Amino acid sequence: MILRTLTALLLSASLIACGAAQADLMVEKKSFTTKDFTTVSGETIADVTVGWEAYGELNEAKDNVILITHFFSGNSHAAGKYTANDPQPGYWDAIIGPGKAIDTDKYYVISSDTLVNAFPHLPHVITTGPASTNPATGKPYGLDFPVVTIRDFVNVQHALLQSLGIEKLHAVVGASMGSLQAIEWASAYPDMVERMVSVIGTGAMDAWTITALEHWARPIKLDPNWNQGNYYDGEAPLTGVTNTLVMITQQAMHPVAFNQTSPKQEVLPKSALESVMNGLPATDFWFGAAAKNAPLADANHLLYLVRANQLFVAGHDTDLATGLEKIKAKTLFLPAKNDLLLQPYLAKQTVEILKAQGKSPQYDEIDGTFGHLDGVYNIQSKANVLADFINE
Amino acid sequence: MILRTLTALLLSASLIACGAAQADLMVEKKSFTTKDFTTVSGETIADVTVGWEAYGELNEAKDNVILITHFFSGNSHAAGKYTANDPQPGYWDAIIGPGKAIDTDKYYVISSDTLVNAFPHLPHVITTGPASTNPATGKPYGLDFPVVTIRDFVNVQHALLQSLGIEKLHAVVGASMGSLQAIEWASAYPDMVERMVSVIGTGAMDAWTITALEHWARPIKLDPNWNQGNYYDGEAPLTGVTNTLVMITQQAMHPVAFNQTSPKQEVLPKSALESVMNGLPATDFWFGAAAKNAPLADANHLLYLVRANQLFVAGHDTDLATGLEKIKAKTLFLPAKNDLLLQPYLAKQTVEILKAQGKSPQYDEIDGTFGHLDGVYNIQSKANVLADFINE
């Protein structure tokens, strides 16, 4: 069961919802295209297309909108099911739906994909990135795709909202990389954002996290099949991608849940004692699971996602404080107590800066044994905090 | 200064000693060879040679011996200097020397190298492993070298002590991988070991740590120059080794010290925004430092060290409890509070098993901002605890 949910997290298609049993919300993936999109790096992308979903109804004033932004391995499937037969609903189904913390009876909840999604080959993921066809050449962009930033993700979402005539966000809520987008939204478009919820997030990357992210990129670059990003006519660098996916999974977890999920190792397993080429039960298990998911990912997309995260500092201004200074939204920070990837000190630092600026950020920690993933698996433990913040 | 000490840690040749200024202990590296060494895996190594050092004087009864066992990136240079001009003394000079916690006025302190040392090309390191010449072929062993375990490291040290006529250890003390050896000593030779000190250690590897270690091996195996371990006539897989060394360094640290040591990143650095091929200040810094050290390491040795650690469970018996049951020594466990590599829960689990067996292990946590490395850099903060335990 835990394994299934973890595998699912990597795929990000479906996570166990821990809320009370209710009739499933049925959703459909939609697609949005914007032309001649200019990136922060000053490049132009002829066609940007991303997927999005919506739950609930947009009111006439178009002022009941809550935007959900997704995490690194995720996509816009935050709640509900595509068909009644789907084994699992979207990743935050525990808190998004009729009568739930993010109440779709009241709010029109939009969940948007980002550029350079890690798993472009997963059904229902719609994204634009290095694996997309460059209209100028008729071939995949590869490394000709411009470097994109969290601000670019936000700007694509801004264009999507504009196309729907939405000029105000009642709230923007995101976990992990979704939290970076949420904070960026509040800084980049302060007059649009009334409430911002950062779950397992940070206002800026520090050297520790930048270097941790770099380790996710390096196995791909080391894989000879990567070939400087030109592998679309040949073998994809799946060994490198597999290593990357295991690192992401492990760093998103805490030892307690990781050990509970892993197979036990007998003392001195014979094959492992025979050769350093042979695996161990835990490594065979995690690398085997990741190898199955690797073909759904794109190696270049992973490199671009890593870079977007490495470059993040809210507001992209001279420093973090200046970026945070612009925020007008009410803010709520929900780091996970046992997070080993984006540890609570990061959210605390951001909160302290906001307080020093005379703002009143709310702060609470999610408990659990999943580590970073408690922001997904145990989000319902903060359902009341979240509901109070959103409805206040 | 911090950088220098960190670089030095990777080289393991020299660490800042924080004890009071004293005349330097002068030491020399010695060498020990044992013939036809049989490994736990049932193979025979014709010649095993390892380095060792000693501080203090062996008494007539040969019962004042304290053995120091070294950590993953380390070697037997635990204290003192080779020449008066050495910039820094051995890594635990703060606690080993005349009048220090491990008092060389009282004790004969022996520090031994292990098999498959990570840095065989470092001056003063004497080890036997895949990079050593196989007398049967006249060429380096490569992957023909047998898999070795922590017990093998201990058995080589046992042969060294036998050669010196030593039949009793007043204490065995080690940090990290050295702690694994210390616990293994107490379980494998319970009648020889009177006291055991485990610093930043564990009684057994768990799936979390086994998988974390696996990530240290994978970049080497991905590097095309590794060539299934046959690179001794060509280019060494230095890119893979560099990635491994950065991972080791980062995981041995805590974000506070890591961030203090890293260069600051301006907002949206131009080159990083131009291409995912370009580095960032922190990644250039850490990967650059590791690249300089990489030629001193051996890729295959790193793989063998990883495997030895992955296979560790004290006593190599049916399970950890059975292995710990054999221990007769008094034990002291000193994990580091902010350790993110071998977190305190590991030492606690071992302590709980020993208590359940009616033993009285001592437990204390080392504080600091270095994480795992507090077991090296801040060991002097537990000098009194250590001295009391050893002299009691």
Side-chain angles (χ1 to χ4, degrees), chain B residues 322-336:
Chain B
T322 312
L324 295 178
E325 183 70 51
K326 298 176 191 160
I327 294 177
K328 295 180 180 174
K330 278 175 43 184
T331 59
L332 168 62
F333 292 81
L334 295 173

Side-chain angles (χ1 to χ4, degrees), chain A residues 106-392:
Chain A
K106 290 187 197 167
Y107 302 107
Y108 182 59
V109 181
I110 293 184
S111 179
S112 166
D113 279 325
T114 69
L115 293 158
V116 302
N117 186 288
F119 291 93
H121 306 305
L122 192 70
H124 298 295
V125 165
I126 303 171
T127 188
T128 302
S132 306
T133 300
N134 180 349
T137 64
K139 293 181 178 174
Y141 282 98
L143 298 198
D144 289 336
F145 198 79
V147 170
V148 287
T149 64
I150 298 296
R151 174 70 68 90
D152 291 307
F153 298 2
V154 165
N155 286 347
V156 172
Q157 291 154 0
H158 186 257
L160 164 62
L161 296 183
Q162 280 191 310
S163 77
L164 300 171
I166 294 165
E167 291 172 357
K168 210 78 172 171
L169 287 175
H170 182 81
V172 54
V173 186
S176 195
M177 186 182 82
S179 153
L180 311 190
Q181 295 167 68
I183 300 176
E184 187 67 17
W185 255 106
S187 176
Y189 298 101
D191 294 323
M192 273 187 77
V193 181
E194 292 173 339
R195 289 165 195 79
M196 189 290 298
V197 183
S198 159
V199 179
I200 50 171
T202 177
M205 288 291 155
D206 59 353
W208 171 269
T209 313
I210 288 166
T211 308
L213 286 163
E214 184 69 17
H215 292 302
W216 300 4
R218 296 274 166 160
I220 289 168
K221 291 182 176 175
L222 259 178
D223 189 327
N225 286 343
W226 177 61
N227 190 31
Q228 308 291 305
N230 298 314
Y231 52 80
Y232 294 105
D233 289 333
E235 297 276 318
L238 296 183
T239 308
V241 169
T242 297
N243 288 0
T244 298
L245 296 183
V246 178
M247 265 192 267
I248 296 172
T249 302
Q250 180 163 15
Q251 287 174 16
M253 290 182 74
H254 184 270
V256 170
F258 191 90
N259 287 334
Q260 283 171 349
T261 311
S262 302
K264 294 279 166 271
Q265 177 170 311
E266 60 170 328
V267 173
L268 300 182
K270 192 167 177 298
S271 73
L273 203 53
E274 276 169 6
S275 168
V276 294
M277 297 304 289
N278 296 335
L280 290 156
T283 62
D284 287 347
F285 174 83
W286 291 104
F287 284 83
K292 282 186 190 153
N293 292 334
L296 298 167
D298 180 79
N300 287 334
H301 280 226
L302 284 163
L303 299 184
Y304 276 74
L305 260 192
V306 162
R307 177 51 50 92
N309 282 275
Q310 286 177 321
L311 290 172
F312 180 66
V313 49
H316 287 180
D317 212 311
T318 45
D319 57 23
L320 174 59
T322 312
L324 295 178
E325 183 70 51
K326 299 176 191 162
I327 294 177
K328 295 181 181 175
K330 279 175 43 185
T331 58
L332 168 63
F333 292 81
L334 295 173
K337 187 179 165 191
N338 293 315
D339 193 334
L340 294 171
L341 180 56
L342 296 179
Q343 296 181 35
Y345 74 84
L346 290 162
K348 276 182 197 156
Q349 286 171 352
T350 305
V351 162
E352 289 310 312
I353 295 173
L354 287 167
K355 282 186 181 168
Q357 293 173 348
K359 302 187 173 87
S360 304
Q362 291 182 41
Y363 179 94
D364 202 356
E365 290 185 5
I366 305 168
D367 209 348
T369 59
F370 275 104
H372 190 63
L373 285 183
D374 282 315
V376 180
Y377 291 124
N378 284 324
I379 187 66
Q380 74 281 2
S381 67
K382 296 297 168 192
N384 290 342
V385 175
L386 199 53
D388 288 349
F389 179 82
I390 285 178
N391 295 322
E392 205 168 55

Side-chain angles (χ1 to χ4, degrees), chain A residues 40-51:
Chain A
V40 167
S41 60
E43 305 282 326
T44 300
I45 307 172
D47 292 295
V48 165
T49 302
V50 296

Side-chain angles (χ1 to χ4, degrees), chain A residues 12-13 25-30 52-53 55 75-86 88-90 113 123-125:
Chain A
S12 185
L25 194 70
M26 299 310 295
V27 299
E28 60 170 330
K29 183 74 77 182
K30 298 171 191 175
W52 63 288
E53 304 184 357
Y55 327 109
N75 59 60
S76 58
H77 193 38
K81 292 183 172 185
Y82 297 124
T83 74
N85 297 328
D86 282 357
Q88 286 160 4
D113 279 325
H124 298 295
V125 165

Side-chain angles (χ1 to χ4, degrees), chain B residues 139-331:
Chain B
K139 293 180 179 174
Y141 282 98
L143 298 196
D144 289 337
F145 198 79
V147 169
V148 287
T149 64
I150 298 295
R151 174 70 69 91
D152 291 307
F153 297 2
V154 165
N155 286 347
V156 172
Q157 290 154 2
H158 186 256
L160 164 63
L161 296 182
Q162 280 191 311
S163 78
L164 300 171
I166 295 165
E167 292 174 355
K168 210 78 170 174
L169 287 175
H170 182 81
V172 54
V173 186
S176 195
M177 185 181 82
S179 154
L180 312 189
Q181 295 167 67
I183 300 175
E184 188 67 15
W185 255 106
S187 177
Y189 298 101
D191 293 323
M192 272 187 78
V193 181
E194 293 173 338
R195 291 167 194 80
M196 189 289 298
V197 183
S198 158
V199 179
I200 51 172
T202 177
M205 288 291 155
D206 60 353
W208 171 269
T209 313
I210 288 166
T211 308
L213 285 163
E214 185 69 16
H215 292 301
W216 300 3
R218 296 273 166 160
I220 288 168
K221 291 182 176 175
L222 259 177
D223 189 326
N225 286 344
W226 178 62
N227 189 32
Q228 308 292 304
N230 298 314
Y231 52 82
Y232 295 105
D233 289 334
E235 296 276 318
L238 296 183
T239 308
V241 169
T242 297
N243 288 0
T244 298
L245 297 183
V246 179
M247 266 193 265
I248 296 171
T249 302
Q250 180 164 15
Q251 287 173 16
M253 290 181 75
H254 184 271
V256 170
F258 191 89
N259 287 334
Q260 283 170 349
T261 312
S262 302
K264 294 282 167 266
Q265 178 171 310
E266 60 171 328
V267 172
L268 300 182
K270 193 167 177 296
S271 73
L273 202 55
E274 276 170 6
S275 168
V276 295
M277 298 302 289
N278 297 336
L280 290 155
T283 63
D284 287 347
F285 174 82
W286 291 103
F287 283 82
K292 283 187 191 154
N293 292 335
L296 298 168
D298 179 79
N300 287 334
H301 280 226
L302 284 163
L303 298 183
Y304 276 74
L305 260 192
V306 162
R307 176 52 50 93
N309 282 275
Q310 286 178 320
L311 290 172
F312 180 66
V313 48
H316 288 180
D317 212 311
T318 44
D319 57 25
L320 175 58
T322 312
L324 295 178
E325 183 70 51
K326 298 176 191 160
I327 294 177
K328 295 180 180 174
K330 278 175 43 184
T331 59

